[in-house]
Every structure is written in structure tokens, then in C-alpha cells.
Amino acid sequence: QVQLVESGGGLVQPGGSLRLSCAASGSFFGINAMAWYRQAPGKERELVAAITDSGTTKFLDSVKGRFTISRDNAKNTVYLQMNSLKPEDTAVYYCNANKRVLGRDFDYWGSGTLVTVSS
């Protein structure tokens, strides 16, 4: 199993920045990608950013140019740097790890960290 723990959420004013961290532990064999999702009240959970084992990244269109996803393999940690934050970025942000072993996919989730963007 994989355990994921997020940190770094909080209250920030519009235009401000935050960096979220996701520390992973457990069995890492077969992990294909790690990602950040978010869910606002009354909305479905959506993919914000992802990074594959080869370093390829993808982003939600509305955060391109503002958010960056990165990883530190030595620390088993994934980061989400969020700049120029907007009120619509307010949500609970979740770390995700996708693992593929013997042709089967497994998804692991952190418990989430709240980001509030408000004046």
C-alpha cells in the first residue's frame, strides 16, 4: 500500500502563492504517475496537474501558466506550486498516486488540504 500526506494549504489573498507538498510512503513499485486533484463545494473532483514517471506533466487549462507540479524522488515528495491564485481556486486539494501492478490499476489518495483564496 501507499500512504499519502498533504500539507501546505491555508488562507491566501488573491494574487498570492502557496506550495502544497505530498509525502509518500509504502510500496512504490509500479507507480506510474502522481497528481493533484481538487474539489470545491458542490462541484466534482477535477484533475489539476499530473506528473508521470518519465517527467511528463499535464495541467488543467485554467491553471496553466500559474501552477507547477514537480517531484523530489529522493524525498518521495510531490509539490504543487500555485501562483497568482484566484478565488475560484478555492477547494480541497488531494494528492493522488496511480499504481499499475500485473496489469491492474490502483489509486491511492491523501486526506486533502484546504486552500482558501479570499480578500
Side-chain angles (χ1 to χ4, degrees):
Q1 292 186 319
V2 176
Q3 294 80 46
L4 305 173
V5 180
E6 303 102 330
S7 62
L11 174 65
V12 64
Q13 292 186 334
S17 298
L18 284 174
R19 188 178 74 164
L20 306 183
S21 299
C22 174
S25 62
S27 178
F28 303 107
F29 178 79
I31 291 180
N32 296 312
M34 298 192 70
W36 288 95
Y37 287 73
R38 69 186 182 188
Q39 187 169 23
K43 289 191 172 184
E44 295 183 350
R45 185 174 297 189
E46 62 183 352
L47 175 66
V48 178
I51 184 166
T52 70
D53 54 2
S54 64
T56 302
T57 60
K58 65 182 296 184
F59 297 91
L60 181 68
D61 285 344
S62 62
V63 308
K64 286 183 177 178
R66 299 189 296 119
F67 290 12
T68 301
I69 187 169
S70 61
R71 65 186 181 187
D72 185 337
N73 290 331
K75 296 181 178 180
N76 293 320
T77 301
V78 176
Y79 304 94
L80 184 67
Q81 178 67 46
M82 305 184 293
N83 299 323
S84 302
L85 283 161
K86 304 174 181 179
E88 50 263 44
D89 294 318
T90 296
V92 177
Y93 285 71
Y94 298 91
C95 183
N96 164 267
N98 178 260
K99 188 175 183 180
R100 187 172 181 85
V101 180
L102 299 177
R104 297 187 64 185
D105 283 312
F106 301 87
D107 279 289
Y108 300 89
W109 298 89
S111 60
T113 185
L114 177 63
V115 173
T116 302
V117 185
S118 176
S119 299

